[in-house]
Amino acid sequence: MTTSAGPDPHARIDAVWRLEAARIIAGLARMVNDVGLAEELAQDALVAALEQWPESGVPDNPGAWLMAVGKRRAIDRIRRQQRLAHKIEEIGRDLETQAPPEFDIPDDEHIEDDLLRLVFTACHPVLPTQARVALTLRMLGGLTTDEIAHAFLVSEPTVAQRIVRAKRTLSEAGVPFEVPEGPDRAARVSSVLEVIYLIFNEGYAASAGDAWVRADLCREALRLGRVLAELAPGEPEVHGLAALMEIQASRTRARTGPSGEPVPLLEQDRGRWDRLLIRRGFAALLRAKAIGEPPGPYVLQAAIAASHAQARTAEETDWAQIASLYEVLANVAPSPVVELNRAVAVGMAHGPDKGLELADALVDEPSLRGYHLLSSVRADLLERLGRLDEARTQFERAAELTRNAPERKVLLDRAASLHWRGPAQ
């Protein structure tokens, strides 16, 4: 086996792990039919690499090396537990008869099948949403518990507990390592997409902390979305989510000012939007539409994002089209947040009074209590109507409710900029 030595083997090991972790865990999970055990075996292989590669050099095919070590640890584990003797013989024969002198790794088709199974398993609805997110980032993204904790501003022990409980839940529930079929598949696809989009949204507009954008989380979600689009090419909503994230990610450079403050969509320098990501998003949207099924929530949201991307200036935005798309979205996937977004679009297309009417109807919605964007949207519409005192109150309320420091400053600045101009209209 040829090896290559580098100036920083630990950095190379970290890079290899990020690239190969999901494939190795997926391949081992197919063998042992237990995601938690598969991750432990993969971690054992990583420890072996950390012990051996600094001295021996990084193998030419590090993924195959890690997979082979993981397989051998799987056999050892089974032997120690004195069970599945026939499985030991089967795995042993497979290793002896199929492995060439250079370590073997599954072919591309098997890798893709295993990865898709791992995606559906990590995002299984039996797990709470936070556990799905943590497990997905750990197993598919190769992130450490510390990195996940930092990204979501929670403690490392909290993330570790979520991951441990998630693996235990999957094992106790007997969740099979497979891609579901029929009605179950649609439900599971929805769960997978929800997890990936939650990761993206936390990076796109951080819910708390001192940064408005966390580009690393956006990149990770985008990577997972692209992988899923390759693994499930016949799922229109998968392409819809990929399109939505590509187009939204294209605005990243323009979404913050010199001090890291949020820059609203209509005030962004569109020359800083990434045209390559926009083209990728349009291509993914066309793939979704070409499948020929009625548009789902992510396809519709991607179409809305595409409408924004097509406008060369804020003034050229086709708000009437966007309002119509939100109306369709509200019928396909009704939710208070969708209705709030529709209020913004209607306010731009048909006047702030029409938008405020929709936003005011959400004031008593239980799920939006404490949701700062409801107050922020109402404040903006009130300001455009000249009801400045009410607008100031709503901006201040939104600032109290948000947990993101840069966003809070922007909201307070807007409140301070409003001056009393007479009685409310």
Side-chain angles (χ1 to χ4, degrees):
M1 178 178 66
T2 326
T3 60
S4 56
D8 187 354
H10 286 92
R12 288 203 61 194
I13 293 169
D14 182 65
V16 167
W17 180 249
R18 300 258 180 177
L19 289 171
E20 302 290 348
R23 293 180 175 86
I24 293 163
I25 294 170
L28 293 170
R30 175 167 49 86
M31 290 173 55
V32 299
N33 201 33
D34 186 320
V35 171
L37 176 57
E39 200 218 358
E40 290 179 26
L41 295 168
Q43 290 286 339
D44 287 347
L46 175 62
V47 170
L50 289 168
E51 292 172 348
Q52 299 178 35
W53 290 2
E55 293 185 7
S56 64
V58 178
D60 289 338
N61 192 340
W65 192 98
L66 290 166
M67 179 68 81
V69 172
K71 284 183 177 180
R72 288 170 180 166
R73 297 294 166 91
I75 295 171
D76 291 342
R77 179 72 66 100
I78 293 170
R79 283 174 176 156
R80 283 198 303 271
Q81 295 176 348
Q82 295 183 338
R83 57 191 175 104
L84 300 179
H86 66 285
K87 188 64 177 176
I88 296 172
E89 295 173 5
E90 180 183 320
I91 296 173
R93 281 198 306 271
D94 180 64
L95 286 172
E96 291 173 4
T97 59
Q98 295 184 21
E102 218 26 61
F103 284 118
D104 175 28
I105 198 165
D107 58 36
D108 289 343
E109 183 177 351
H110 275 122
I111 289 173
E112 290 191 357
D113 289 346
D114 290 343
L115 276 174
L116 192 57
R117 293 186 186 102
L118 184 60
V119 169
F120 276 99
T121 303
C123 299
H124 197 286
V126 73
L127 300 175
T129 299
Q130 291 177 328
R132 281 181 260 163
V133 169
L135 197 62
T136 299
L137 286 173
R138 176 63 178 265
M139 292 191 169
L140 292 163
L143 274 66
T144 64
T145 53
D146 178 61
E147 289 169 328
I148 299 169
H150 178 74
F152 286 92
L153 301 178
V154 295
S155 70
E156 186 175 354
T158 297
V159 171
Q161 287 173 5
R162 287 176 185 170
I163 292 171
V164 168
R165 287 172 185 160
K167 291 187 286 190
R168 184 186 305 129
T169 298
L170 292 174
S171 179
E172 291 175 352
V175 173
F177 187 66
E178 65 180 11
V179 176
E181 298 295 337
D184 289 344
R185 184 184 179 98
R188 294 276 288 281
V189 166
S190 176
S191 174
V192 170
L193 298 181
E194 178 192 15
V195 168
I196 294 175
Y197 198 37
L198 279 171
I199 295 168
F200 181 85
N201 275 338
E202 184 58 31
Y204 189 72
S207 60
D210 297 325
W212 174 238
V213 173
R214 292 179 183 151
D216 54 341
L217 279 182
C218 287
R219 285 193 297 269
E220 185 57 34
L222 202 49
R223 184 186 71 80
L224 291 172
R226 289 168 180 166
V227 168
L228 187 59
E230 292 178 3
L231 297 176
E235 299 283 353
E237 281 289 84
V238 170
H239 296 297
L241 176 59
L244 175 59
M245 293 192 299
E246 299 277 9
I247 296 171
Q248 287 185 320
S250 73
R251 308 174 194 152
T252 300
R253 289 197 302 264
R255 295 189 69 247
T256 53
S259 302
E261 71 277 12
V263 178
L265 176 63
L266 298 183
E267 298 175 20
Q268 290 173 16
D269 177 0
R270 300 188 178 212
R272 301 187 68 196
W273 288 3
D274 190 322
R275 307 314 298 184
L276 174 60
L277 290 180
I278 290 174
R279 288 196 296 272
R280 290 184 67 128
F282 284 0
L285 185 55
L286 288 173
R287 283 194 291 272
K289 291 181 176 179
I291 294 172
E293 296 183 10
Y298 291 108
V299 172
L300 288 167
Q301 290 178 79
I304 292 168
S307 292
H308 285 295
Q310 286 171 329
R312 292 174 298 176
T313 65
E315 293 72 24
E316 293 180 19
T317 305
D318 189 344
W319 284 106
Q321 180 188 56
I322 291 172
S324 296
L325 286 168
Y326 268 119
E327 187 171 0
V328 177
L329 179 60
N331 289 323
V332 171
S335 79
V337 172
V338 169
E339 196 64 15
L340 181 60
N341 285 325
R342 187 167 81 90
V344 174
V346 167
M348 295 299 295
H350 307 298
D353 55 333
K354 300 295 185 184
L356 185 60
E357 185 179 339
L358 292 174
D360 284 349
L362 299 170
V363 169
D364 295 324
E365 172 59 45
S367 64
L368 294 186
R369 283 197 191 117
Y371 187 53
H372 72 285
L373 289 180
L374 174 57
S375 295
S376 177
V377 167
R378 294 184 70 230
D380 185 72
L381 293 166
L382 286 164
E383 181 183 5
R384 289 169 57 201
L385 286 168
R387 296 161 60 176
L388 304 185
D389 194 43
E390 295 171 85
R392 184 189 303 112
T393 299
Q394 289 301 309
F395 277 130
E396 290 171 346
R397 173 169 170 73
E400 290 174 3
L401 292 173
T402 183
R403 295 186 298 138
N404 184 274
E407 186 178 31
R408 182 182 302 111
K409 184 178 185 307
V410 168
L411 291 167
L412 288 175
D413 286 347
R414 289 197 67 179
S417 71
L418 300 178
H419 301 286
W420 180 252
R421 298 178 187 170
Q425 299 177 11

PDB file of all heavy atoms in Angstrom, residues 355-374:
ATOM      1  N   GLY A 355     -51.749  44.673   3.108  1.00  0.00           N
ATOM      2  CA  GLY A 355     -50.813  43.807   3.818  1.00  0.00           C
ATOM      3  C   GLY A 355     -51.043  43.824   5.312  1.00  0.00           C
ATOM      4  O   GLY A 355     -50.999  42.772   5.978  1.00  0.00           O
ATOM      5  N   LEU A 356     -51.302  45.004   5.858  1.00  0.00           N
ATOM      6  CA  LEU A 356     -51.516  45.115   7.301  1.00  0.00           C
ATOM      7  C   LEU A 356     -52.778  44.378   7.729  1.00  0.00           C
ATOM      8  O   LEU A 356     -52.822  43.784   8.809  1.00  0.00           O
ATOM      9  CB  LEU A 356     -51.611  46.590   7.700  1.00  0.00           C
ATOM     10  CG  LEU A 356     -51.711  46.865   9.198  1.00  0.00           C
ATOM     11  CD1 LEU A 356     -50.488  46.332   9.936  1.00  0.00           C
ATOM     12  CD2 LEU A 356     -51.885  48.357   9.467  1.00  0.00           C
ATOM     13  N   GLU A 357     -53.779  44.380   6.875  1.00  0.00           N
ATOM     14  CA  GLU A 357     -55.007  43.652   7.185  1.00  0.00           C
ATOM     15  C   GLU A 357     -54.713  42.167   7.398  1.00  0.00           C
ATOM     16  O   GLU A 357     -55.224  41.534   8.337  1.00  0.00           O
ATOM     17  CB  GLU A 357     -56.011  43.841   6.042  1.00  0.00           C
ATOM     18  CG  GLU A 357     -57.373  43.225   6.291  1.00  0.00           C
ATOM     19  CD  GLU A 357     -58.339  43.463   5.143  1.00  0.00           C
ATOM     20  OE1 GLU A 357     -58.116  44.404   4.355  1.00  0.00           O
ATOM     21  OE2 GLU A 357     -59.323  42.686   5.026  1.00  0.00           O
ATOM     22  N   LEU A 358     -53.867  41.602   6.536  1.00  0.00           N
ATOM     23  CA  LEU A 358     -53.496  40.185   6.679  1.00  0.00           C
ATOM     24  C   LEU A 358     -52.627  39.973   7.911  1.00  0.00           C
ATOM     25  O   LEU A 358     -52.801  38.988   8.649  1.00  0.00           O
ATOM     26  CB  LEU A 358     -52.755  39.717   5.429  1.00  0.00           C
ATOM     27  CG  LEU A 358     -53.566  39.633   4.134  1.00  0.00           C
ATOM     28  CD1 LEU A 358     -52.655  39.306   2.955  1.00  0.00           C
ATOM     29  CD2 LEU A 358     -54.667  38.589   4.255  1.00  0.00           C
ATOM     30  N   ALA A 359     -51.673  40.888   8.150  1.00  0.00           N
ATOM     31  CA  ALA A 359     -50.774  40.741   9.298  1.00  0.00           C
ATOM     32  C   ALA A 359     -51.529  40.884  10.612  1.00  0.00           C
ATOM     33  O   ALA A 359     -51.282  40.142  11.576  1.00  0.00           O
ATOM     34  CB  ALA A 359     -49.643  41.762   9.212  1.00  0.00           C
ATOM     35  N   ASP A 360     -52.468  41.841  10.669  1.00  0.00           N
ATOM     36  CA  ASP A 360     -53.234  42.042  11.911  1.00  0.00           C
ATOM     37  C   ASP A 360     -54.083  40.820  12.262  1.00  0.00           C
ATOM     38  O   ASP A 360     -54.343  40.549  13.438  1.00  0.00           O
ATOM     39  CB  ASP A 360     -54.137  43.271  11.771  1.00  0.00           C
ATOM     40  CG  ASP A 360     -53.363  44.579  11.891  1.00  0.00           C
ATOM     41  OD1 ASP A 360     -52.181  44.526  12.283  1.00  0.00           O
ATOM     42  OD2 ASP A 360     -53.937  45.641  11.601  1.00  0.00           O
ATOM     43  N   ALA A 361     -54.508  40.080  11.245  1.00  0.00           N
ATOM     44  CA  ALA A 361     -55.318  38.879  11.491  1.00  0.00           C
ATOM     45  C   ALA A 361     -54.518  37.784  12.193  1.00  0.00           C
ATOM     46  O   ALA A 361     -55.094  36.813  12.704  1.00  0.00           O
ATOM     47  CB  ALA A 361     -55.873  38.356  10.172  1.00  0.00           C
ATOM     48  N   LEU A 362     -53.181  37.939  12.253  1.00  0.00           N
ATOM     49  CA  LEU A 362     -52.315  36.923  12.857  1.00  0.00           C
ATOM     50  C   LEU A 362     -51.930  37.258  14.298  1.00  0.00           C
ATOM     51  O   LEU A 362     -51.238  36.474  14.949  1.00  0.00           O
ATOM     52  CB  LEU A 362     -51.038  36.763  12.018  1.00  0.00           C
ATOM     53  CG  LEU A 362     -51.233  36.302  10.571  1.00  0.00           C
ATOM     54  CD1 LEU A 362     -49.927  36.428   9.792  1.00  0.00           C
ATOM     55  CD2 LEU A 362     -51.731  34.854  10.536  1.00  0.00           C
ATOM     56  N   VAL A 363     -52.366  38.407  14.786  1.00  0.00           N
ATOM     57  CA  VAL A 363     -51.927  38.871  16.103  1.00  0.00           C
ATOM     58  C   VAL A 363     -52.296  37.882  17.210  1.00  0.00           C
ATOM     59  O   VAL A 363     -51.524  37.674  18.156  1.00  0.00           O
ATOM     60  CB  VAL A 363     -52.519  40.272  16.399  1.00  0.00           C
ATOM     61  CG1 VAL A 363     -52.298  40.651  17.859  1.00  0.00           C
ATOM     62  CG2 VAL A 363     -51.888  41.310  15.481  1.00  0.00           C
ATOM     63  N   ASP A 364     -53.452  37.255  17.099  1.00  0.00           N
ATOM     64  CA  ASP A 364     -53.896  36.323  18.144  1.00  0.00           C
ATOM     65  C   ASP A 364     -53.529  34.870  17.838  1.00  0.00           C
ATOM     66  O   ASP A 364     -54.000  33.954  18.536  1.00  0.00           O
ATOM     67  CB  ASP A 364     -55.415  36.437  18.325  1.00  0.00           C
ATOM     68  CG  ASP A 364     -55.824  37.807  18.860  1.00  0.00           C
ATOM     69  OD1 ASP A 364     -55.071  38.361  19.680  1.00  0.00           O
ATOM     70  OD2 ASP A 364     -56.884  38.320  18.450  1.00  0.00           O
ATOM     71  N   GLU A 365     -52.710  34.662  16.812  1.00  0.00           N
ATOM     72  CA  GLU A 365     -52.281  33.296  16.466  1.00  0.00           C
ATOM     73  C   GLU A 365     -51.311  32.782  17.536  1.00  0.00           C
ATOM     74  O   GLU A 365     -50.234  33.353  17.736  1.00  0.00           O
ATOM     75  CB  GLU A 365     -51.601  33.309  15.095  1.00  0.00           C
ATOM     76  CG  GLU A 365     -50.936  32.012  14.699  1.00  0.00           C
ATOM     77  CD  GLU A 365     -51.890  30.836  14.660  1.00  0.00           C
ATOM     78  OE1 GLU A 365     -53.003  30.999  14.108  1.00  0.00           O
ATOM     79  OE2 GLU A 365     -51.524  29.765  15.191  1.00  0.00           O
ATOM     80  N   PRO A 366     -51.673  31.699  18.247  1.00  0.00           N
ATOM     81  CA  PRO A 366     -50.818  31.211  19.351  1.00  0.00           C
ATOM     82  C   PRO A 366     -49.391  30.904  18.932  1.00  0.00           C
ATOM     83  O   PRO A 366     -48.447  31.211  19.671  1.00  0.00           O
ATOM     84  CB  PRO A 366     -51.549  29.942  19.819  1.00  0.00           C
ATOM     85  CG  PRO A 366     -52.972  30.141  19.395  1.00  0.00           C
ATOM     86  CD  PRO A 366     -52.919  30.911  18.119  1.00  0.00           C
ATOM     87  N   SER A 367     -49.204  30.323  17.760  1.00  0.00           N
ATOM     88  CA  SER A 367     -47.853  29.924  17.351  1.00  0.00           C
ATOM     89  C   SER A 367     -46.952  31.111  17.037  1.00  0.00           C
ATOM     90  O   SER A 367     -45.733  30.957  16.942  1.00  0.00           O
ATOM     91  CB  SER A 367     -47.929  29.004  16.130  1.00  0.00           C
ATOM     92  OG  SER A 367     -48.468  29.687  15.012  1.00  0.00           O
ATOM     93  N   LEU A 368     -47.537  32.299  16.869  1.00  0.00           N
ATOM     94  CA  LEU A 368     -46.738  33.482  16.560  1.00  0.00           C
ATOM     95  C   LEU A 368     -46.541  34.386  17.769  1.00  0.00           C
ATOM     96  O   LEU A 368     -45.926  35.447  17.642  1.00  0.00           O
ATOM     97  CB  LEU A 368     -47.385  34.288  15.419  1.00  0.00           C
ATOM     98  CG  LEU A 368     -47.440  33.607  14.052  1.00  0.00           C
ATOM     99  CD1 LEU A 368     -47.972  34.565  12.999  1.00  0.00           C
ATOM    100  CD2 LEU A 368     -46.065  33.082  13.634  1.00  0.00           C
ATOM    101  N   ARG A 369     -47.025  33.962  18.924  1.00  0.00           N
ATOM    102  CA  ARG A 369     -46.766  34.741  20.129  1.00  0.00           C
ATOM    103  C   ARG A 369     -45.268  34.685  20.422  1.00  0.00           C
ATOM    104  O   ARG A 369     -44.684  33.619  20.514  1.00  0.00           O
ATOM    105  CB  ARG A 369     -47.535  34.165  21.321  1.00  0.00           C
ATOM    106  CG  ARG A 369     -48.999  34.537  21.285  1.00  0.00           C
ATOM    107  CD  ARG A 369     -49.683  34.335  22.629  1.00  0.00           C
ATOM    108  NE  ARG A 369     -51.134  34.461  22.446  1.00  0.00           N
ATOM    109  CZ  ARG A 369     -51.994  33.494  22.664  1.00  0.00           C
ATOM    110  NH1 ARG A 369     -51.574  32.338  23.107  1.00  0.00           N
ATOM    111  NH2 ARG A 369     -53.285  33.689  22.454  1.00  0.00           N
ATOM    112  N   GLY A 370     -44.666  35.827  20.562  1.00  0.00           N
ATOM    113  CA  GLY A 370     -43.229  35.860  20.793  1.00  0.00           C
ATOM    114  C   GLY A 370     -42.417  35.792  19.511  1.00  0.00           C
ATOM    115  O   GLY A 370     -41.181  35.739  19.570  1.00  0.00           O
ATOM    116  N   TYR A 371     -43.076  35.761  18.343  1.00  0.00           N
ATOM    117  CA  TYR A 371     -42.356  35.699  17.059  1.00  0.00           C
ATOM    118  C   TYR A 371     -42.049  37.129  16.619  1.00  0.00           C
ATOM    119  O   TYR A 371     -42.947  37.889  16.237  1.00  0.00           O
ATOM    120  CB  TYR A 371     -43.212  34.981  16.026  1.00  0.00           C
ATOM    121  CG  TYR A 371     -42.515  34.695  14.711  1.00  0.00           C
ATOM    122  CD1 TYR A 371     -41.290  34.039  14.678  1.00  0.00           C
ATOM    123  CD2 TYR A 371     -43.106  35.065  13.508  1.00  0.00           C
ATOM    124  CE1 TYR A 371     -40.668  33.754  13.474  1.00  0.00           C
ATOM    125  CE2 TYR A 371     -42.487  34.778  12.296  1.00  0.00           C
ATOM    126  CZ  TYR A 371     -41.264  34.127  12.286  1.00  0.00           C
ATOM    127  OH  TYR A 371     -40.640  33.851  11.092  1.00  0.00           O
ATOM    128  N   HIS A 372     -40.798  37.517  16.664  1.00  0.00           N
ATOM    129  CA  HIS A 372     -40.432  38.910  16.463  1.00  0.00           C
ATOM    130  C   HIS A 372     -40.751  39.422  15.063  1.00  0.00           C
ATOM    131  O   HIS A 372     -41.000  40.608  14.863  1.00  0.00           O
ATOM    132  CB  HIS A 372     -38.946  39.119  16.772  1.00  0.00           C
ATOM    133  CG  HIS A 372     -38.020  38.543  15.755  1.00  0.00           C
ATOM    134  ND1 HIS A 372     -37.759  37.195  15.645  1.00  0.00           N
ATOM    135  CD2 HIS A 372     -37.293  39.146  14.778  1.00  0.00           C
ATOM    136  CE1 HIS A 372     -36.909  36.990  14.669  1.00  0.00           C
ATOM    137  NE2 HIS A 372     -36.600  38.152  14.121  1.00  0.00           N
ATOM    138  N   LEU A 373     -40.764  38.518  14.075  1.00  0.00           N
ATOM    139  CA  LEU A 373     -40.993  38.977  12.709  1.00  0.00           C
ATOM    140  C   LEU A 373     -42.431  39.453  12.488  1.00  0.00           C
ATOM    141  O   LEU A 373     -42.678  40.268  11.596  1.00  0.00           O
ATOM    142  CB  LEU A 373     -40.639  37.877  11.709  1.00  0.00           C
ATOM    143  CG  LEU A 373     -39.139  37.579  11.578  1.00  0.00           C
ATOM    144  CD1 LEU A 373     -38.900  36.477  10.556  1.00  0.00           C
ATOM    145  CD2 LEU A 373     -38.368  38.832  11.209  1.00  0.00           C
ATOM    146  N   LEU A 374     -43.380  38.963  13.278  1.00  0.00           N
ATOM    147  CA  LEU A 374     -44.740  39.483  13.160  1.00  0.00           C
ATOM    148  C   LEU A 374     -44.767  40.971  13.530  1.00  0.00           C
ATOM    149  O   LEU A 374     -45.337  41.799  12.814  1.00  0.00           O
ATOM    150  CB  LEU A 374     -45.692  38.695  14.061  1.00  0.00           C
ATOM    151  CG  LEU A 374     -47.137  39.229  14.144  1.00  0.00           C
ATOM    152  CD1 LEU A 374     -47.780  39.298  12.764  1.00  0.00           C
ATOM    153  CD2 LEU A 374     -47.974  38.355  15.080  1.00  0.00           C
TER     154      LEU A 374
END
